[in-house]
Structures are given as structure tokens and as C-alpha cells.
Amino acid sequence: MKAAIFSDLHDNKPNLDLFLNWVKKNKIDSLIFCGDLANVDTLKYLAESFSKKIYLVGGNADSFYLSDTKKFKNVI
């Protein structure tokens, strides 16, 4: 099993796209996000772009609620 760990995205979707391309190329099985994804739109984009498990820890810059993560089956 291969996992990728990342954090402090702060809604930077161009960097998220670069990261997701790297994830696909390297056949990553799960993601661990350590905070500061930022808003619920970026959470939705991430969850829809990566169908495998995403382990998410909230950060001080995140503006979504834990209940928002329940909308996505792959976000834990």
C-alpha cells in the first residue's frame, strides 16, 4: 500500500492538480491530509478527483465542518 501525505493546500487548485497527477503516476492507494485544505469546494474537488481513501485532519485555516466530510464516501 502506498500513501501520500500532504498539507497546507489553502485552496491552491493548480498545485492540487499537480499533486493529483503525481499521485496517479505513482499509483498511490490513499491520501493523508494534515490540515489547511481550506474550503468545502476544494474538499469536494479533492474527493471527486481521487476515488480512494482520503484521511483528513482539520486545520486552523479550514472553513468546513466535520459534517461536510460525510458527504463523500472516500473521506475519513
Side-chain angles (χ1 to χ4, degrees), residues 44-61:
K44 179 181 179 190
Y45 184 79
L46 174 62
E48 291 175 350
S49 299
F50 185 79
S51 62
K52 299 174 184 175
K53 294 290 183 196
I54 302 169
Y55 300 90
L56 181 73
V57 175
N60 65 324

Side-chain angles (χ1 to χ4, degrees), residues 46-76:
L46 174 62
E48 291 175 350
S49 299
F50 185 79
S51 62
K52 299 174 184 175
K53 294 290 183 196
I54 302 169
Y55 300 90
L56 181 73
V57 175
N60 65 324
D62 289 324
S63 62
F64 55 85
Y65 298 102
L66 181 60
S67 59
D68 292 322
T69 65
K70 298 182 189 307
K71 297 174 187 173
F72 311 103
K73 293 181 181 184
N74 57 330
V75 178
I76 299 172

